Amino acid sequence: MTDNPPLCPPLLTELPYPVYFRIDDFAANSRFVSHSHPWGQLNYSAAGVMELSIDGQRFLSPPQYAVWIPPGLPHDAHIHQNVIYHSAYIDAPLCGDLPDKPCSLVLSPILKAILADFAERGLAIPATPADRRLADVLVDQLKAARCTRNYLPTSDDPVLGTLLAELQREPGCNRSLLDWAARLHVTERTLARRCQRDLGMSFGEWRQRQRFLAALPLLEAGTPVQTVALELGYSTSSAFIAMFQRHSGTTPDQYRRQQGSRN
């Protein structure tokens, strides 16, 4: 399937309010041309996963996480599956206490509730005193949000990069780190150190995150939970459900019902 024609960002020269909201649905295989703007931007996919390239770095934005883009950084986006998209543009003077580098943010329940409320009402510009207070709370919640380097980081290391590429192609592969080390002609300790150095997490944590991302389109397509579990390398559906709940805060069936209610 070929990509749709590139999309362009809204033609704004300045924000109509210091916190401006954007709500959109994007079809699979959509992409945005590279652009930048003088304000910060919170990117959140309420359903689906968006891939962003920010100043040369690749980020993934699944539900439960958002991607923060500081003012002035060039970025583009590629949407591999249907996405329900929420974005908040934050005026530069409000970005002083926000991260000065792009990162993934863990969204608090309050932050998600404000985004969902504004999306449900189709609200772009907070006009009432109550909505402006909610916008202020959103900025405060962003300041307190835990920032991670990336939800699913990559590596330029030729050995580790080979391992990660293989797992992207076959997320159900259950080869252990020791087996991978032997296959790649390094020691297990060396490979474990490179995971921590380049990914900021263990091999096992990276593989769980990658499987979580791989599960989302399968669940949204209606694939039975047990089938998804087996396809992703789990011997029992209960082990898959436990992993999915750790990463999303919901069970696979609850996640599927939530996506169905949004469509």
Side-chain angles (χ1 to χ4, degrees), residues 60-222:
L60 291 171
S61 174
Q64 313 303 324
Y65 285 77
V67 174
W68 168 250
I69 306 175
L73 289 187
H75 55 279
D76 57 54
H78 193 167
I79 297 160
H80 297 283
Q81 56 189 256
N82 294 340
V83 160
I84 298 174
Y85 175 73
H86 300 169
S87 179
Y89 295 167
I90 312 294
D91 207 12
L94 297 179
C95 295
D97 293 328
L98 293 171
D100 60 0
K101 297 184 185 303
C103 64
S104 295
L105 294 175
V106 182
L107 296 182
S108 70
I110 295 174
L111 231 171
K112 287 188 289 185
I114 294 172
L115 290 169
D117 174 60
F118 282 16
E120 185 177 347
R121 291 189 284 141
L123 189 149
I125 303 170
T128 67
D131 285 337
R132 289 177 176 179
R133 287 194 294 270
L134 284 177
D136 291 341
V137 171
L138 180 137
V139 175
D140 287 340
Q141 286 289 304
L142 284 180
K143 293 175 183 177
R146 180 165 60 87
C147 184
T148 63
R149 280 178 52 192
N150 201 340
Y151 183 76
L152 194 71
T154 56
S155 172
D156 292 329
D157 181 275
V159 174
L160 185 55
T162 298
L163 187 162
L164 301 183
E166 288 287 340
L167 288 181
Q168 291 279 28
R169 283 191 289 270
E170 190 182 351
C173 174
N174 279 320
R175 191 175 288 123
S176 70
L177 190 63
L178 179 61
D179 291 337
W180 276 110
R183 183 183 178 92
L184 296 170
H185 309 292
V186 295
T187 67
E188 182 182 14
R189 185 176 179 183
T190 294
L191 202 49
R193 281 202 307 264
R194 292 185 187 185
C195 286
Q196 289 295 341
R197 180 196 69 191
D198 289 8
L199 308 179
M201 64 186 71
S202 69
F203 166 74
E205 172 65 14
W206 192 96
R207 181 159 62 181
Q208 279 196 8
R209 292 188 181 200
Q210 198 271 331
R211 286 177 171 178
F212 168 68
L213 290 176
L216 297 179
L218 296 174
L219 292 170
E220 291 169 13

